[in-house]
Amino acid sequence: MNEFNHFEDNREYQSKRKNTWFKSVTMTVASGVMGSALTLGAINYFPNETKQSTEVVQEQAETNVSKVNAETVSTTSDGSIADIVEKASKAIVGVVNMQDQQANPFSHSTGNTQSGEAVESGTGSGVIFKQTDNETYIVTNNHVIEGASNIQVSLHNGEKLQAELVGTDSLTDIAVLKVNEKVDAEVLSFTDSSNLRAGDQVLAIGNPLGLDLSRTVTQGIVSAVDRSIEVSTSAGEWDLNVIQTDAAINPGNSGGALIDSNGNLVGINSLKIADSGVEGLGFAIPSNDVENIIDQLMKDGKIIRPYLGVGLMDLNQVPQFYQEQLPKNVEEGAIITQVEEGSTAETAGLQAEDILVSIGDQTITAANDLRESLYKDFSIGDKVKIYFYRDGEKKTVEVTLQGNGEKQVEKE
């Protein structure tokens, strides 16, 4: 299972020692690119894919498929839970992440080379949400398929098929897959997750611990709505909006369905807290959020967000020298460790070792603040001022945000 990682960044001394430190850190720290791929650390969440790890979590593909047409689907009021589960389970698939295996450099066998051979890296779950005459579309978690060289899906009847990646987004942990045929299965449509209340009955359906226990059903209630969980992804740290449930969610359930008592899809199961002694703390991405993400992924193959193009490190993680260059009242910020070539930041004249302290009217106390503000407070096309310190002097640049590195910038 692939999941949320770590992101870091750096600066320079007046002496050779200063230069040596900054270059050393720059070489060794995983410097991300804002709006591209940042990596950071997070808390002890267990994304529920069967590959054992303690973290959760972009690739790009394109498709001309039109916007998802979601509609509310209800069962009759006298339908039993067993009837609801029997129908819904036929929309649940197993998702197998296959990755190329490295050749053994010590093997001298000429008849049994393993170079490039795809092996199973992890398994998870998925939900069929749309079918056409020639295609079947599946939603799952990004961390279930991240890094896959090819993807296999297993249907309720045991049939195994190859799937293509339509689009994926690591920050929101959603991915869309496509099978190039109409399969013998049910389709689960989205319902309005904003109507959920704490105490509502829900069912989780997925493949805990692998395909041998496929389409396992667990029952519980909505423990809370509108939770915000800080997770660490391969694209950076992120606050994920989730539904909390006590329905049992285990490794392998990632990407599976959370349905209400009428059999409607209200969420995609993604996380659980896996600390010792903790029980019944599972989390699902609300269907309203999932539907919006799917629409964009099916259109563009990715989520297009405002882009700056810098790697960052929290100011308090670098030597005291850098903090001594700042006014006494400035104790927090993010130091630029890397500027991507051709990016907005480079065009604006931002440099490694600049210390960012605010964007617009939002104070930057740490590296994550810039990313969250860019993605949540601003849109592509917005003009935004960035305030920073260089050699102890406060400076400002204004950037017109776009979805790539080509920006119009005015210096002040």
Side-chain angles (χ1 to χ4, degrees):
M1 171 180 74
N2 302 296
E3 309 148 282
F4 300 157
N5 304 332
H6 278 71
F7 128 101
E8 302 166 2
D9 327 33
N10 5 95
R11 209 189 161 182
E12 161 187 332
Y13 274 116
Q14 290 174 325
S15 64
K16 291 184 180 178
R17 178 184 176 188
K18 171 189 170 187
N19 290 326
T20 301
W21 179 89
F22 187 76
K23 291 179 180 178
S24 175
V25 175
T26 303
M27 292 293 291
T28 58
V29 170
S31 296
V33 176
M34 189 65 60
S36 177
L38 296 149
T39 50
L40 312 166
I43 56 180
N44 190 27
Y45 287 107
F46 195 10
N48 303 299
E49 177 193 4
T50 57
K51 187 170 61 177
Q52 299 300 317
S53 179
T54 55
E55 303 165 12
V56 191
V57 234
Q58 183 167 81
E59 265 199 56
Q60 303 173 3
E62 294 186 358
T63 179
N64 294 321
V65 180
S66 60
K67 186 177 186 295
V68 177
N69 293 316
E71 57 186 32
T72 300
V73 178
S74 299
T75 60
T76 58
S77 59
D78 58 352
S80 69
I81 289 179
D83 290 337
I84 292 170
V85 167
E86 183 178 5
K87 181 178 181 180
S89 293
K90 294 178 181 179
I92 308 303
V93 303
V95 179
V96 182
N97 181 323
M98 304 292 291
Q99 298 189 11
D100 290 339
Q101 179 174 286
Q102 297 294 323
N104 183 353
F106 301 104
S107 174
H108 299 288
S109 172
T110 58
N112 187 28
T113 178
Q114 293 181 331
S115 177
E117 179 183 352
V119 296
E120 182 178 315
S121 177
T123 64
S125 307
V127 180
I128 297 174
F129 68 90
K130 179 182 177 70
Q131 279 194 318
T132 67
D133 291 340
N134 303 307
E135 297 163 325
T136 299
Y137 292 89
I138 299 162
V139 59
T140 186
N141 285 140
N142 172 76
H143 73 261
V144 170
I145 55 85
E146 193 167 44
S149 57
N150 66 76
I151 303 167
Q152 296 178 358
V153 296
S154 174
L155 305 182
H156 71 95
N157 58 10
E159 184 179 5
K160 295 183 179 180
L161 301 168
Q162 288 295 121
E164 297 177 6
L165 181 64
V166 174
T168 186
D169 182 58
S170 53
L171 284 181
T172 56
D173 201 22
I174 291 294
V176 175
L177 310 177
K178 178 178 72 172
V179 174
N180 289 315
E181 63 180 271
K182 184 176 182 179
V183 302
D184 178 18
E186 293 289 334
V187 173
L188 282 183
S189 296
F190 300 97
T191 193
D192 189 353
S193 56
S194 68
N195 291 329
L196 285 178
R197 299 183 301 165
D200 281 345
Q201 186 180 64
V202 288
L203 302 165
I205 311 177
N207 308 309
L209 307 183
L211 302 184
D212 288 343
L213 300 176
S214 61
R215 280 158 287 281
T216 291
V217 182
T218 58
Q219 183 177 18
I221 62 169
V222 173
S223 303
V225 295
D226 296 326
R227 291 290 198 210
S228 182
I229 300 295
E230 184 179 307
V231 291
S232 180
T233 80
S234 60
E237 196 170 275
W238 191 248
D239 290 332
L240 192 63
N241 180 41
V242 292
I243 301 163
Q244 182 182 331
T245 180
D246 68 348
I249 296 176
N250 293 289
N253 275 113
S254 279
L258 188 70
I259 63 175
D260 63 17
S261 57
N262 291 319
N264 299 326
L265 183 64
V266 296
I268 297 298
N269 299 319
S270 291
L271 309 167
K272 70 176 291 185
I273 293 181
D275 288 342
S276 176
V278 176
E279 298 292 340
L281 290 178
F283 303 93
I285 305 171
S287 58
N288 288 4
D289 292 351
V290 175
E291 185 180 358
N292 289 333
I293 296 162
I294 284 175
D295 287 343
Q296 296 180 64
L297 292 180
M298 293 183 72
K299 178 183 177 183
D300 300 314
K302 59 183 178 180
I303 305 299
I304 300 175
R305 298 184 173 94
Y307 174 93
L308 192 58
V310 294
L312 298 172
M313 176 182 281
D314 293 351
L315 184 60
N316 60 15
Q317 293 181 305
V318 302
Q320 185 66 30
F321 169 82
Y322 296 99
Q323 299 173 42
E324 291 174 352
Q325 297 184 63
L326 297 173
K328 296 299 181 183
N329 62 332
V330 179
E331 299 178 350
E332 297 175 313
I335 186 169
I336 295 178
T337 62
Q338 178 184 354
V339 178
E340 183 179 350
E341 185 177 354
S343 67
T344 296
E346 184 183 56
T347 305
L350 291 172
Q351 302 173 7
E353 303 181 37
D354 287 345
I355 300 169
L356 309 185
V357 292
S358 65
I359 178 170
D361 59 359
Q362 302 296 317
T363 300
I364 298 173
T365 62
N368 191 49
D369 292 339
L370 176 60
R371 179 173 45 257
E372 288 209 16
S373 186
L374 272 176
Y375 295 168
K376 294 182 177 181
D377 300 327
F378 301 103
S379 301
I380 295 171
D382 287 350
K383 286 189 175 183
V384 57
K385 289 184 177 181
I386 298 175
Y387 299 85
F388 64 99
Y389 283 90
R390 180 182 296 164
D391 298 326
E393 181 182 353
K394 190 173 185 180
K395 297 178 178 292
T396 307
V397 293
E398 184 174 78
V399 178
T400 301
L401 297 176
Q402 296 182 11
N404 54 39
E406 298 176 1
K407 315 289 193 277
Q408 298 295 322
V409 178
E410 298 174 9
K411 295 184 181 181
E412 294 187 355

